[in-house]
Amino acid sequence: MEKIIEIQDLNFGFSKNKPILKNINLSVPRGSIFGFLGANGAGKSTTMKMLIGAIPDEKNCIKIFNQSVSNLYPEGFHRIGSLIDVAAFYDHLSGWENILAMSKLRELPESECERVLHLVDMWENRHVKMKKCSLGMKQRIAIAITLLGNPDLLILDEPVNGLDPNGMMEIRELLIKLNKEQGVTIFISSHLLQEIEKMITHLAIISHGEIKFSGSVKDLTTLYKHTRMRIGINNAEHYIKEIPEKNSPNQIDENTLEIVVESKEEIITLVKKMVMAGAEIFELKSSLGFEEWFMDIIKN
């Protein structure tokens, strides 16, 4: 699969005694939504600033579109849309006027402004002054600006940070739409795991400047194929015998069993078997999921 971004053996620090990035290696496939995940201060923003050339990659460890960053820019900005840290606007101007100003700087036609505003569902609100826009509206305008010129790659640093749940959902649906309908590759950083896991196809987990995991979501689920499940069930003691030993059944209390499974198919089979035996199951809950996998990788 073609790689849009490739980073090999990237090290960086503002001083020799305090490295921020330590031997970073990762690949971003074309057409993916790649989640770059880590706690605040893990090195996400520094890496992304190096991707867009804001911090020099002096050893040419980064390639985008098979070109080193030093050779890619400034022409490469026509193929890349980026949003790093907080977007800046002319607050006394409308969203339309802000986008129009950016399009003129890039010598793009006015029709391009209309196109991106429709993409982010802000056409009807295009004349609202930025100072009166909600945070979600401002994020949509910011993403619209990154979409000027039909970029092949979006680099977005914490684009849902500070949004309410509805705003997060709107931005998530927008990014999935851009990826599926426009074929845009998206490299997105976040520390909000529950939100990011709903959209990504690939991911890298960074902690204290080091990559702890990199691969597809499928690779991650394969790594943690043995998932603990809790079953809420009436009279747990009576039905624990229906569960094979390979699933390591364990009774937590009178109404809760814990088992270990490798797939959703195995869960379906077990639940069917227990219901056929008369079990009254009122809850199924995974006791190991994305957040727990993340914490396990960070710690280990």
Side-chain angles (χ1 to χ4, degrees), residues 45-60:
S45 293
T46 300
T47 304
M48 299 181 92
K49 286 175 182 177
M50 296 189 77
L51 287 175
I52 63 168
I55 297 175
D57 173 25
E58 295 176 349
K59 295 185 178 180
N60 291 324

Side-chain angles (χ1 to χ4, degrees), residues 271-298:
V271 169
K272 280 184 178 179
K273 180 181 179 182
M274 295 173 74
V275 170
M276 291 294 289
E280 296 175 328
I281 296 173
F282 56 83
E283 184 179 35
L284 285 172
K285 184 178 180 181
S286 172
S287 59
L288 190 62
F290 199 87
E291 287 191 4
E292 289 79 11
W293 297 343
F294 174 86
M295 293 306 300
D296 185 62
I297 288 170
I298 292 296

